[in-house]
Amino acid sequence: MKYNIRKKHQQFAGWLPAVIFFLTANPGVFAGERDSLVFVAYGEQRKERVVSSVSTVSGEDLGKSQVSTLGNTFFGRFPGMTVIQTNGEPGYDEASVYLRGQHTLQSNTCIILVDGFQVDAFSQISAEEIESISYLKDAAALALYGISSANGALLITTKKGKNTGKKTNISLKARYGLHTPAYLPKFEGSYNYALLYNEALQNDGLPVMYGDKDLQGYLSGSDPYYYPDVNWYDEILSKTSDIQDYSLSFTGGNLHARYFVMAGFMGYNGLYDGTDQKINSNINFKRINFRANVDVDVNSDLSFRMNLGGRIEDRMFPNTATATMWQHMATYAPNLYPVRTPDGKITGTASYPDNPVGSVLEEGYGSRHTRNVQAAVTAKEKLSFLADGLSVFASIAFGSNYQNGYNKQKTYAYYEPIKTISGTGQDSIYYVQRGADTDLTVSTGNDAENNRMEIHAGLEYEQSFGQHDLKALLMYRQSKRSNFTEQSAYAKRDFLGRIDYALRDKYLAELSLAYSGTDNYRPGRRFGFFPALGLGWVLSKEDFLQNLKPVDYLKIRGSAGLLGNDQGAARFAYNQYWGPASSQGYYFGTGVTYYEALVQQAVANPDFTWEKALLYNIGLETELFNRRLSFTADYFFEDRYDIPVSNTNTLPSFSGITFSTMLNRAEVNNRGIELSTTWRDRAGNTGYFAGAQFSFIRNKIVESFEAPHREAARYTQGHSVGQRYGLEAVGFFRDDTDIALNPVHTFSNVRPGDLKYKDQNKDGFINVDDEVPIGKPSVPEITFSVNTGITWKGFDLELLFDGNANRNIYLNGYMFWPFINDYNISTWAAERRWTPETHSEAAFPRLTTQANPNNYRASDFWVRNIYVLRLRNAELGYNFSGNWLNRAKIEKLRVYVSTLNLLTLSNLDADVDPETLSVGYPTLKTFSVGINLNF
Amino acid sequence: MKYIKYSIIVACLSALLYMPSCEDFLEKPVSSDITVDSVFASKIRTEQFLWKVYSTASIYEFNGFWSGTDNRFYHYGASGSLVSVATDELEVEGTYAAIPKYMHTGTWNASTIDPGSWAIEFMSHVCYQGIRNANIFIENVDNSPFSDGEKAAMKAEAIFLRALMHFDLMQRLGGISVVDRVLKVSTAEDVEAIRIPRSTYAGTVDFIVKECEEAAKYLPDVYEDNKYLGRIVKGAALALKARVLLYAASPLFNPPDGQPYVAVSHPQVRELIGYPSYDKDRWRLAAEASKAVLDWAERESGWCRLYDEMADKRDNYEEIFINHTCPEVILSAGLLNNVTGYFELFMLPGNVAGPQNQTNPSNHAVTFNFTKYYRKTDGSDQTWDETEGQDYPYAQYRNKLAELEPRFQASAFYSGTEWAKGSGVVYHFYETNTNLLQNVRGVGFMRKFMKNAREGSVAPRWITFRLAEFYLNYAEALNEIDGDATEITAALNAVRTRAGLPAVSYTGTDHMRELIRRERTVEFAFEQHRFFDLRRWKTAGEEGNMKGDIYTLKLYGTNSVQDATYRLEKIADRVWEDKMYLYPFRQGEVNLGYIVQNPGW
């Protein structure tokens, strides 16, 4: 096997020079092209032989972003992948990753494999242990994952040892960064808050709350206890906080054994100020990763591979939930209370007891401790005595994840300021104690554990017969995943086969077959057959293109196949369950004797089955102009059917069922294009490259099996998954005449300055029947990125921009509802608010202190289609050179500075971060310095 | 040597392959799951499932929310109150007072009766859950280890309960979808296949009657001891049949003029909401069915009789509702009993019966409109000559009410009387030390069902059928076919004399109809009969019934009995539209396209 690869390396040497050229200039920048091998399902393939749609990114590229979770390094790297991060809390900031958008009404979760074995989560694997990640997109690439494949797969391959002779390559990396929130909204101070609150009360026809004396007090700010003016962000957040990561790896080996050993540490501090991590805690995340991958050739036929990876994750956080914490910081009015009493005690009121400063400093902390181990052993034996090129292999893999929690908690006394007038007529204030100080109590819990066990065994065959190259795989796989909160483990079993054929390196074909089953379906209906065929044609090898100078390489490929998706399905829905249930029964007799009853639970669906996807893909790969320009394009169409939907919406009530049953009834079509291109060149001692990626993906619900609606506009059928519905706003009510002349708005009594809606069904009433589809889907249809770099002498500079568009967001909740529950008001809302004077240019409804179901509901006023463009990474590095390096036995020394999320550009007209909408922990902006040292 | 090594590898691999495949790797592990076979393989579980049928059935005809069982969402009453609040019988005041108002103000419609709404008296889909459970039981009970006789009797119970639920739907909706089998809902194809259209009204009546007759064949007349008090007896099946046939013969469904209650263009719709033409013979069927109940009680049951065992007529009447073993009751249902039981919580007035019920009593109060139906003990009408808005002395209020017949005394707790009889504690509502005056929206509070009750008292059983009904049903039906005058008056007088009123003699069909209806109104006060009686008599839309002005006698006063006064005052203006004679089907249901909506909705 290994021999063959090497042989093919040589064959492949034809298109290496360009790559090597840039590698010598700066290996770091061009790591993506370093290896011409592509990792695919249960194997690897030469890039030019690949007939399926696969995108690959190296671990080195991913490592350029200094973030705490792997998913957040994916931005802009893979064409056709949409990454959305809505929470920046260290350790809990997993991004949502959509592979080719949304395919189904059910779970869109993809499967993740590390070195061929499925794992539950990938987010805490360190980029330093990753060789590359392959994103498998089409049927030919995915078919071997059978029943779980249709949502796509991410294949993580970890680094391997190398034959380095006597030498060991030692790599030391250190990086230190400071971060701040990428964006924080701005709120009004106490004076404006009071003024606007009065205005809101007047709008509601209520008496004002703040008199002239109060306003004067807020304006002068002379008494910060009687007239507080607090910006809670300033009180809680430190200016910057830090993130640091270090890794040390050893790579080496000889002809008989090779190793890669790595250890890494990452420490990540949150933004809260003044904490000590003993009786309280900032948000804090520490992680240790280690890995030892060893390949041993016992003799010329028998080899072993042992991969061992593990990590320790420790998270700490205040006892107030992070989302609540940030809500309080954003919504607590500036004049609610001063942060502390004059003698330094925490304030609070009966209605607002959770002074954010108290929440951070006085309540103890919670922590979670996670331990994860993954181990896999593979044995491989050449069976040349049976046939040349035939080998047999077997693997066993085990993965375990364990979490426990350790919490320290206490309560504290807080003091409510009561305003009064003293005997001399002066403002005066006294404090009433509420709550009480308690000692810290320790509790443990929040335990979680899951284990995976997977076995592979099979035969491989690879041989060339003249012009014919043949490669075949026949394999058995079974896996079991257990979770200690669930009664029965998840069991899967697959029989797999694949044949690759190439004629003269020009005509390529790949047939994959999976016979794949799980325990979740009725006996006899547990297995499905998932075939896929991929075909490729390397046109550049044809005579008629041989003479066409600019074309160095040109391949077209196409694939079609049937895939399955069983994710997110209810367990054992084929089984009819009965059981006792609490307070189900009947009284008989003269007393109060209760006779327990038995209940028929959810009605079984014996035919329940997995989702199916017919997936078609065509693609083109080319290299032009001496391989300076590379270009890849893909178009796909997916017909996802048998999607489970609840029957309750469509069942007559007299069916009498209490619990819904899922039926395989819905259908979604998904289609899209993905383009990526790179230009690389060199002029003198300047090397440069510029690359761009673009994808446009749109889905449509073909069959939704939904409840009949009164108004045709309310059907989701024909629209995208995640389509939002709402009213169409046509402006603000000008005055009472305007209200009288328009249809009756039924949600609440409207006043001038409230939103006015279009009566879609022309029945004279504005109600939910007037809702229509508004805006684009919530998952962006378009994603794009630009990656560019330049090297000059020892310097290198690289920029990565990424963005998305055709995305719908809903401005909703406390950031947009000033004065509801006495929430704070943002400067943005204050400046745009409707008043009788500004009615023509107003862009925010009149202020109100009351719940306003007319204004604060989904409408195209609040639902916005946005694009976002971020400068995700920028890195400037310098490679030292000179004899002193050699004397110090240093192979390479590079120092660099980099930033994360430095710039954001968006058309969102609202004072919030376009990704998180400033709800919860913000996205972070990071400035880092780092050093890489290779011995 | 080399080959030995290969053999080892191959052997290992084979073992690896064999190990998982030999045992049911993909089989669900054995656990504590109960399957349909194990349910009906066990006597205990079979019984437990029958209790499930009971608990999801509509035995209550009563606010199920208070019953503490899982059909609580089936009847809300008028939510937190009795449906009598929607008639001229009662008014309410308190936390939940706003909710029943939807029925007064005409603001209910096909969308507000969708599930999830509290403002609802009744939920058809929960009713069908009970029907489904009954069907599951009927189809599987034969597999159980009971004897054939036991199986037949238990099956008959389920058949009866299924019929009762169909009746419950029918009396509100007219002809409904009859479901007499377990509907398959597990595949997508099933969903369309089971969209059963509405049966005609006639078809629905026939189905229920047939089911009652079937059940009656196998039901026992009595259960051995009181342990199973509340289980279905033969009399219940006969009683349901009698009530169904009485309803079917009544003017709403069997209109003498052949006209539906609202204009209906399509003849098919006409058949869904009643009989398209009048047939006097329906009254004969109703009369015979009611007579059958009376005959069963007298000749077969060995226990069932009008309760008339106490010298004091008021005590005697009250006993029917609080004595769990009263021999007049053919079918009743137990209610949740505990300190904070909803029955006490909602039903006890003001704070007379304990501090807990101050939180949200519904304060059911008897309207003046309804008070006027009660006669004086001598059988004559009370003189109600008050002019609206004018003050009259408190003593006159007390005297006039005190003169009313024992059933009024048992049913209303008015100012100047004791809550607990014989306690000597007299409540004057105008006094400021109680919260009674501000909470009474009637002449007095409802007292019936709650004799001397306090918080934590054992709740009464709610009565579905009691024998008195069949005397009055018989009299009513027989009167319509100009039956034997002696029989008519005998049946009517049986109820009157038991209540302490003098007997009446025959005075012609029309007058007798008036007497019988008034007797029924009084005898079954607040028992949730009138809500449906006014509909079937087609008199709900008459002024003061479910439409128009509702009056009270309101007290005003100082702290002295001498200075207090009362006034006749209007307290409500009820909205009624004739389309409300039948309920609408849920909009979500109509949207599915197989249900024809009732006219006007």
Side-chain angles (χ1 to χ4, degrees), chain A residues 228-487:
Chain A
D229 189 354
V230 179
N231 181 319
W232 290 102
Y233 286 143
D234 293 347
E235 300 299 328
I236 297 290
L237 303 181
S238 49
K239 283 250 168 350
T240 58
S241 191
D242 64 349
I243 175 171
Q244 45 194 312
D245 59 303
Y246 309 99
S247 75
L248 180 62
S249 64
F250 303 86
T251 313
N254 54 34
L255 278 173
H256 303 294
R258 293 159 299 281
Y259 57 88
F260 168 78
V261 177
M262 170 269 183
F265 168 81
M266 188 198 64
Y268 202 154
N269 272 316
L271 292 163
Y272 305 156
D273 209 1
T275 51
D276 65 3
Q277 290 180 230
K278 292 187 180 69
I279 58 162
N280 56 35
S281 179
N282 195 350
I283 285 180
N284 180 278
F285 179 39
K286 290 192 185 72
R287 188 181 72 201
I288 295 171
N289 293 75
F290 62 88
R291 175 162 290 279
N293 290 352
V294 178
D295 293 276
V296 179
D297 297 339
V298 177
N299 56 39
S300 59
D301 290 334
L302 180 65
S303 63
F304 288 100
R305 163 173 297 171
M306 285 148 284
N307 285 4
L308 179 67
R311 58 183 184 264
I312 296 168
E313 302 160 23
D314 293 317
R315 296 171 170 86
M316 292 171 84
F317 37 82
N319 274 318
T320 297
T322 304
T324 312
M325 200 54 217
W326 285 82
Q327 177 175 350
H328 289 168
M329 282 193 266
T331 58
Y332 277 14
N335 65 347
L336 180 63
Y337 35 65
V339 179
R340 291 172 186 275
T341 64
D343 51 356
K345 290 169 179 151
I346 299 285
T347 53
T349 64
S351 320
Y352 297 92
D354 301 315
N355 182 323
V357 173
S359 300
V360 170
L361 298 182
E362 304 290 341
E363 288 185 342
Y365 66 83
S367 67
R368 298 287 179 275
H369 307 275
T370 305
R371 307 288 180 260
N372 185 295
V373 173
Q374 264 212 60
V377 180
T378 302
K380 188 180 250 183
E381 173 88 59
K382 286 181 191 163
L383 300 181
S384 342
F385 70 99
L386 292 175
D388 203 20
L390 182 68
S391 56
V392 58
F393 66 92
S395 314
I396 184 158
F398 170 76
S400 176
N401 195 70
Y402 174 77
Q403 175 194 282
N404 78 337
Y406 174 93
N407 304 321
K408 282 180 177 174
Q409 270 171 310
K410 71 181 188 81
T411 64
Y412 61 97
Y414 55 94
Y415 294 83
E416 174 157 359
I418 310 283
K419 291 180 180 181
T420 180
I421 307 289
S422 72
T424 56
Q426 295 291 304
D427 287 343
S428 131
I429 201 159
Y430 65 96
Y431 297 90
V432 176
Q433 179 180 342
R434 299 192 181 279
D437 286 312
T438 59
D439 293 330
L440 281 171
T441 54
V442 170
S443 63
T444 57
N446 288 93
D447 295 356
E449 181 180 345
N450 63 63
N451 296 301
R452 275 183 180 276
M453 180 81 152
E454 194 163 334
I455 294 171
H456 297 175
L459 297 165
E460 277 181 326
Y461 179 70
E462 182 165 12
Q463 195 55 269
S464 297
F465 309 93
Q467 298 177 329
H468 310 275
D469 293 341
L470 188 67
K471 204 171 150 185
L473 172 74
L474 188 66
M475 167 173 170
Y476 167 82
R477 180 180 76 153
Q478 75 169 40
S479 69
K480 202 154 216 177
R481 171 176 176 270
S482 56
N483 183 332
F484 87 167
T485 57
E486 286 179 81
Q487 275 196 8

Side-chain angles (χ1 to χ4, degrees), chain A residues 37 94 152 154 159 281 324 348 411 424 457 627 650 675 732 761 914:
Chain A
L37 278 179
E94 271 105 314
L154 292 177
K159 287 177 177 165
S281 179
T324 312
T411 64
T424 56
R627 302 192 182 267
T650 42
L675 307 172
F732 301 104
N761 61 4

Side-chain angles (χ1 to χ4, degrees), chain B residues 37-56:
Chain B
D37 299 326
S38 64
V39 170
F40 291 98
S42 143
K43 279 192 175 185
I44 290 174
R45 287 189 177 140
T46 303
E47 267 190 342
Q48 282 180 332
F49 195 74
L50 182 60
W51 308 153
K52 177 69 185 170
V53 182
Y54 270 86
S55 81
T56 46

Side-chain angles (χ1 to χ4, degrees), chain B residues 65-79:
Chain B
F65 185 57
W66 304 352
S67 67
T69 68
D70 59 325
N71 75 338
R72 68 185 63 176
F73 300 114
Y74 175 11
H75 288 118
Y76 268 130
S79 204

Side-chain angles (χ1 to χ4, degrees), chain A residues 299 301-302 381-385 392-396 455-459 476 478-480 487-489 491-493 495 517-521 523 526-527 572 574-580 583-592 594-600 603-607 647 649-658 661-665 705 707-710 715, chain B residues 2-3 5-6 9 13 16-17 19-23 25-29 31-36 39-40 45 48-49 51-52 54-55 59-60 67-70 72 111 124-125 128-130 132-133 136 140 177 179 183 185-192 194-197 226-231 324-325 332-337 458 461 586-589 591-592 594-595:
Chain A
N299 56 39
D301 290 334
L302 180 65
E381 173 88 59
K382 286 181 191 163
L383 300 181
S384 342
F385 70 99
V392 58
F393 66 92
S395 314
I396 184 158
I455 294 171
H456 297 175
L459 297 165
Y476 167 82
Q478 75 169 40
S479 69
K480 202 154 216 177
Q487 275 196 8
S488 38
K492 269 185 187 161
R493 175 177 278 183
F495 302 90
T518 86
D519 57 356
N520 207 26
Y521 307 102
R526 285 185 175 140
F527 278 88
F572 308 115
Y574 68 87
N575 230 356
Q576 178 64 60
Y577 288 100
W578 300 67
S583 43
Q584 306 273 328
Y586 198 73
Y587 292 102
F588 287 114
T590 54
V592 289
Y594 193 62
Y595 287 71
E596 293 289 338
L598 199 67
V599 181
Q600 184 190 34
V603 177
N605 176 1
D607 299 336
N647 64 351
N649 296 331
T650 42
L651 266 190
S653 67
F654 57 68
S655 60
I657 62 161
T658 316
T661 297
M662 298 300 271
L663 304 180
N664 298 97
R665 211 36 209 271
F705 207 58
H709 295 287
R710 199 182 292 196
Y715 282 91
Chain B
K2 200 173 178 184
Y3 291 97
K5 192 182 72 192
Y6 292 136
I9 291 167
L13 279 175
L16 206 64
L17 281 166
M19 179 181 70
S21 57
C22 63
E23 273 316 312
F25 182 69
L26 297 183
E27 279 307 319
K28 184 175 183 300
S31 68
S32 55
D33 303 340
I34 302 170
T35 66
V36 67
V39 170
F40 291 98
R45 287 189 177 140
Q48 282 180 332
F49 195 74
W51 308 153
K52 177 69 185 170
Y54 270 86
S55 81
I59 294 179
Y60 301 96
S67 67
T69 68
D70 59 325
R72 68 185 63 176
S111 295
S124 58
H125 66 292
Y128 277 113
Q129 287 169 11
R132 178 181 182 83
N133 285 331
I136 291 171
N140 287 289
S177 305
V179 180
L183 295 179
V185 296
S186 38
T187 70
E189 291 67 37
D190 293 337
V191 172
E192 274 92 22
I194 63 166
R195 290 189 173 168
I196 302 171
N226 282 333
K227 183 183 163 200
Y228 285 118
L229 185 86
R231 280 185 82 166
H324 289 180
T325 56
S332 65
L335 302 174
L336 185 69
N337 291 270
V458 172
R461 294 182 66 85
R586 292 163 45 193
Q587 188 60 44
E589 208 65 22
N591 287 350
L592 291 175
Y594 68 99
I595 286 287

Side-chain angles (χ1 to χ4, degrees), chain B residues 214-361:
Chain B
E214 175 70 16
K217 284 184 209 162
Y218 303 103
L219 286 168
D221 291 316
V222 65
Y223 289 86
E224 273 166 30
D225 59 34
N226 282 333
K227 183 183 163 200
Y228 285 118
L229 185 86
R231 280 185 82 166
I232 316 297
V233 293
K234 182 181 175 186
L238 299 176
L240 177 58
K241 178 185 167 187
R243 195 189 279 176
V244 168
L245 288 171
L246 180 79
Y247 274 52
S250 296
L252 180 64
F253 304 108
N254 184 29
D257 59 0
Q259 292 303 310
Y261 58 91
V262 286
V264 173
S265 49
H266 203 286
Q268 243 178 343
V269 176
R270 181 76 191 84
E271 290 191 355
L272 296 176
I273 60 170
Y275 293 103
S277 60
Y278 181 69
D279 183 353
K280 200 171 184 176
D281 195 48
R282 293 186 187 117
W283 285 111
R284 185 185 58 77
L285 293 173
E288 284 171 2
S290 294
K291 187 71 168 61
V293 179
L294 301 177
D295 290 347
W296 168 82
E298 194 181 331
R299 294 178 203 153
E300 290 179 52
S301 74
W303 56 273
C304 189
R305 59 186 182 276
L306 274 190
Y307 187 74
D308 195 4
E309 281 155 38
M310 299 172 97
D312 184 314
K313 291 298 184 190
R314 172 184 163 178
D315 287 347
N316 189 69
Y317 184 69
E318 284 182 316
E319 193 70 6
I320 298 167
F321 309 105
I322 61 163
N323 182 348
H324 289 180
T325 56
C326 174
E328 182 172 333
V329 177
I330 302 170
L331 180 62
S332 65
L335 302 174
L336 185 69
N337 291 270
N338 58 37
V339 176
T340 54
Y342 288 111
F343 193 84
E344 290 94 356
L345 208 61
F346 289 134
M347 297 283 267
L348 295 173
N351 57 2
V352 295
Q356 181 75 37
N357 78 311
Q358 286 177 55
T359 50
N360 40 21

Side-chain angles (χ1 to χ4, degrees), chain A residues 29-153:
Chain A
V29 172
F30 306 108
E33 292 294 324
R34 188 169 51 193
D35 203 336
S36 65
L37 278 179
V38 175
F39 294 99
V40 297
Y42 305 117
E44 48 198 29
Q45 243 174 346
R46 278 162 48 209
K47 193 168 195 257
E48 74 168 4
R49 279 278 182 87
V50 172
V51 296
S52 53
S53 180
V54 180
S55 297
T56 300
V57 174
S58 69
E60 188 153 4
D61 274 348
L62 298 175
K64 285 173 182 165
S65 301
Q66 195 177 17
V67 291
S68 71
T69 47
L70 189 61
N72 289 328
T73 66
F74 291 175
F75 289 103
R77 298 287 183 189
F78 297 90
M81 179 193 285
T82 308
V83 189
I84 298 186
Q85 186 194 2
T86 53
N87 177 5
E89 182 180 354
Y92 290 104
D93 55 349
E94 271 105 314
S96 308
V97 173
Y98 296 91
L99 305 187
R100 290 187 157 172
Q102 299 193 89
H103 316 252
T104 168
L105 303 168
Q106 301 296 332
S107 170
N108 282 292
T109 314
C110 66
I111 55 169
I112 301 134
L113 299 101
V114 174
D115 295 326
F117 302 98
Q118 206 175 334
V119 297
D120 293 317
F122 64 95
S123 47
Q124 299 308 335
I125 297 173
S126 164
E128 292 306 320
E129 52 190 310
I130 294 174
E131 176 67 36
S132 75
I133 297 185
S134 290
Y135 161 20
L136 309 186
K137 303 176 179 182
D138 71 346
L142 289 163
L144 292 192
Y145 298 115
I147 202 164
S148 310
S149 60
N151 289 344

